[in-house]
Amino acid sequence: KSKHIVNDNVLKAITSATSLTVDFGGGIKTEEDIEKAFDAGAAMVTVGSIAVTNPELFLSWIDKYGAGRLILGADEEDSAEDLLPFLKQYTDKGVRNVLCTEISKDGTLQGPAIELYKEIMAAYPDLHLIASGGVSCNEDIDALETADIPAVVFGKAFYEGKIDIDKLGL
């Protein structure tokens, strides 16, 4: 893993050539990294490990950039027990965008952790929760939508041709 942002040139190429609204994440460790991402055109930045290892720094970024421009990256394994109190310290400060990756399912194509995501939404109904990990097919996406999970990330299933984009109704 990188200790700093490394793909800001790719981000700039995407944002300058398209009208996409881009969330950028990966390697955000310093305020300089956030500035690089925003300067390269990111609308929002996902911050994960810093929110765990240095909550004071993450809170200062909320104050400086606004909670709406930051996505809290929260990795979890199997249980909401530790995750819910972790989220509270940031939802209390206005964070509403959370990318939750169920890491034991990430890349496995074994289906998303719908029960975990439902627990999170029950505790924090105003979250814009982005479910990540385990999505294997369109039916998984439909199940997340049925469970009122606001958003989903999928990768491996798409690259392996298991997701039919035309059937998503985008």
Side-chain angles (χ1 to χ4, degrees):
K1 285 190 166 185
S2 174
K3 299 291 185 201
H4 58 86
I5 184 174
V6 293
N7 290 321
D8 53 313
N9 57 336
V10 175
L11 172 62
K12 182 68 172 172
I14 292 168
T15 59
S16 62
T18 72
S19 60
L20 293 172
T21 300
V22 178
D23 152 36
F24 184 84
I28 304 293
K29 305 287 189 244
T30 66
E31 193 157 329
E32 180 184 3
D33 292 331
I34 287 184
E35 292 288 342
K36 276 187 185 179
F38 286 141
D39 288 348
M44 293 182 285
V45 173
T46 298
V47 178
S49 60
I50 290 298
V52 175
T53 62
N54 193 341
E56 297 80 16
L57 181 59
F58 185 64
L59 289 168
S60 76
W61 293 346
I62 291 170
D63 289 340
K64 182 168 184 174
Y65 300 104
R69 295 193 74 194
L70 299 174
I71 299 173
L72 174 60
D75 292 347
E76 186 54 45
E77 285 192 77
D78 302 322
S79 166
E81 184 178 338
D82 296 326
L83 182 60
L84 294 178
F86 170 75
L87 293 176
K88 182 168 178 27
Q89 67 182 321
Y90 298 121
T91 59
D92 284 352
K93 298 294 183 181
V95 169
R96 292 294 173 265
N97 301 303
V98 174
L99 170 64
C100 183
T101 303
E102 212 305 358
I103 57 176
S104 70
K105 292 183 175 286
D106 197 29
T108 66
L109 302 176
Q110 294 179 350
I114 292 176
E115 292 307 313
L116 171 65
Y117 302 135
K118 285 167 72 173
E119 281 187 65
I120 295 167
M121 291 305 299
Y124 303 104
D126 294 334
L127 277 187
H128 180 75
L129 180 65
I130 307 161
S132 176
V135 173
S136 66
C137 59
N138 285 67
E139 290 75 16
D140 287 341
I141 297 168
D142 293 341
L144 287 163
E145 185 173 20
T146 299
D148 293 324
I149 309 307
V152 61
V153 170
F154 53 85
K156 186 174 183 178
F158 175 73
Y159 293 118
E160 292 187 4
K162 299 174 186 297
I163 302 284
D164 184 344
I165 295 295
D166 294 331
K167 291 184 179 175
L168 293 179
L170 301 175

